């Protein structure tokens, strides 16, 4: 690209969207369109058993202007790798874009992609916590179904366990996120940990304050 060489994983980011037509195959292959070759029997466009369809695309070098974002070293550009001091050793950054793209635009694009994946992972983690706590309490639903009151009791308990599981799941999600943020952003991390601990303490306190229902028994006194 220009006066630089691109190697490593960056090479795989070049777009392959132009069908290649200047390729010669053996006579058993038939050209079925731009960059498409077929072999075997096709009846009315539908492949039969043993039929093969191949499509070969390449990079459109009629538009050879590309912008490469990465680590430059002696004329070679590769993906930049974060050092161990960044607490994310092994994380790499690199991108290839068509045309001329400024560094600010390239980083904004990468930041938007990273933010999207971040929220996807956060919601997936919260959902996994929620499902885990709900499944822990799922035997209560089975026990309720054993009572001869119909299925409504089991359905009611099942719904209540799913709603109640949201509280400890959210607390655990805040604890995990806060623990990871303590090192990178201590103020945000400590706040998340405190919120998570507050949720856990609230669940424990509510459970401890719950009084058992039913008859109360008075201790027997001797000597009366």
């Amino acid at each position: 690209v220009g006066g630089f060489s691109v190697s490593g994983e960056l090479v795989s980011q070049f777009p392959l969207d132009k069908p290649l037509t200047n390729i010669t195959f053996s006579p058993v292959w038939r050209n079925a369109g731009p960059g498409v070759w077929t072999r075997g029997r096709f009846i009315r466009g539908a492949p039969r058993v043993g039929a093969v369809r191949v499509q070969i695309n390449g990079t459109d070098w009629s538009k050879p202007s590309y912008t490469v974002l990465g680590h430059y070293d002696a004329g070679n550009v590769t993906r930049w790798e974060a050092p161990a001091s960044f607490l994310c050793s092994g994380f790499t950054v690199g991108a290839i874009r068509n045309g001329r793209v400024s560094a600010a635009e390239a980083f904004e694009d990468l930041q938007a992609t990273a933010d999207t994946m971040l929220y996807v992972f956060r919601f997936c983690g919260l959902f996994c916590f929620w499902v885990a706590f709900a499944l822990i309490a799922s035997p209560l639903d089975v026990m309720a179904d054993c009572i001869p009151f119909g299925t409504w009791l089991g359905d009611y308990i099942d719904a209540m366990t799913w709603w109640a599981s949201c509280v400890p799941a959210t607390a655990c999600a805040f604890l995990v996120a806060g623990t990871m943020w303590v090192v990178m952003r201590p103020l945000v991390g400590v706040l998340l940990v405190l919120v998570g601990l507050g949720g856990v303490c609230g669940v424990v306190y509510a459970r401890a304050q719950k009084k058992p229902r039913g008859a109360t028994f008075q201790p027997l006194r001797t000597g009366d």
Side-chain angles (χ1 to χ4, degrees):
V1 180
F4 311 103
S5 299
V6 179
S7 61
E9 298 180 5
L10 283 176
V11 178
S12 63
Q13 296 190 22
F14 280 99
L16 303 174
D17 51 8
K18 181 181 180 181
L20 300 181
T21 57
N22 56 345
I23 298 179
T24 303
F25 280 84
S26 62
V28 297
W29 292 88
R30 298 184 301 273
N31 183 258
V36 180
W37 282 264
T38 60
R39 176 181 178 180
R41 295 181 59 190
F42 286 79
I43 299 179
R44 296 179 181 179
R48 308 298 292 179
V49 176
V52 180
R53 183 192 299 269
V54 177
Q55 181 172 353
I56 302 178
N57 293 339
T59 303
D60 187 5
W61 293 114
S62 63
K63 302 176 181 178
S65 178
Y66 288 93
T67 299
V68 181
L69 176 65
H71 175 66
Y72 173 76
D73 184 15
N76 187 36
V77 180
T78 58
R79 294 181 65 89
W80 175 83
E81 183 174 353
S85 59
F86 282 25
L87 302 179
C88 54
S89 179
F91 179 78
T92 60
V93 176
I96 293 180
R97 297 291 184 267
N98 289 328
R100 295 181 178 273
V101 181
S102 65
E105 294 175 345
F107 278 111
E108 288 178 1
D109 186 21
L110 294 176
Q111 184 64 50
T113 303
D115 291 341
T116 302
M117 295 303 301
L118 175 64
Y119 285 105
V120 169
F121 285 132
R122 284 178 177 175
F123 283 112
C124 288
L126 175 59
F127 181 74
C128 290
F129 275 123
W130 192 3
V131 173
F133 279 105
L135 292 179
I136 291 176
S138 60
L140 298 176
D141 179 20
V142 179
M143 295 174 60
D145 287 336
C146 297
I147 302 176
F149 286 156
T151 60
W152 65 269
L153 182 59
D155 296 338
Y156 174 78
I157 294 180
D158 182 53
M160 291 301 297
T161 54
W162 276 96
W163 283 107
S165 300
C166 182
V167 177
T170 305
C172 289
F174 274 104
L175 283 175
V176 174
T179 303
M180 299 302 298
W181 277 96
V182 164
V183 180
M184 305 299 294
R185 294 184 179 179
L187 182 61
V188 178
V190 171
L191 180 61
L192 291 175
V193 170
L194 292 177
V195 172
L197 290 177
V200 174
C201 293
V203 173
V204 175
Y205 178 78
R207 183 67 182 88
Q209 292 296 112
K210 185 177 180 181
K211 297 181 180 180
R213 298 179 180 179
T216 59
F217 297 91
Q218 297 293 335
L220 295 176
R221 293 181 298 176
T222 60
D224 294 343

